[in-house]
Amino acid sequence: MDNTTHPHRRYLMTLLGLDPTDRRSTSRARFVITTIAAFATAVQLIVWLLIGIFSARLDGPWWLWTPASALLVDAALLSVDHVRHQWSRTGRESL
């Protein structure tokens, strides 16, 4: 079986926004936003833990704002894709 047609690989590529046959325009944007947010969250988590080690006091988890906002942006882009897909389906069914 060819690697490009394997269903699990194709699903993973679609989730990452790297599938060239995927017509959703926001999949690559979702991938970029998620990657940047994951990197920023990792850096912020390390800084937060270092602050806790050196000051012996952990402040509130302020670093949670980054993944939370990225999740909201990703959800909005995914809903745009869903609405666009449903809109195109209803347009074809009415013909």
Side-chain angles (χ1 to χ4, degrees):
M1 182 177 244
D2 186 15
N3 283 339
T4 58
T5 58
H6 194 271
H8 298 297
R9 180 180 169 95
R10 185 175 187 95
Y11 181 70
L12 179 64
M13 296 289 279
T14 301
L15 282 179
L16 293 176
L18 302 173
D19 187 8
T21 61
D22 190 15
R23 294 184 181 196
R24 294 182 295 186
S25 62
T26 63
S27 59
R28 188 157 311 253
R30 285 187 291 126
F31 175 71
V32 169
I33 290 169
T34 304
T35 303
I36 291 171
F39 179 74
T41 301
V43 169
Q44 290 172 350
L45 181 60
I46 292 169
V47 169
W48 184 65
L49 289 173
L50 287 173
I51 289 171
I53 290 170
F54 290 115
S55 71
R57 183 176 68 88
L58 280 178
D59 205 12
W62 45 264
W63 50 271
L64 285 175
W65 285 104
T66 301
S69 60
L71 180 67
L72 290 175
V73 170
D74 281 345
L77 290 173
L78 191 61
S79 66
V80 165
D81 284 340
H82 180 69
V83 167
R84 185 181 299 145
H85 175 70
Q86 294 299 325
W87 188 274
S88 68
R89 275 185 57 202
T90 57
R92 277 187 265 136
E93 290 174 0
S94 65
L95 293 177

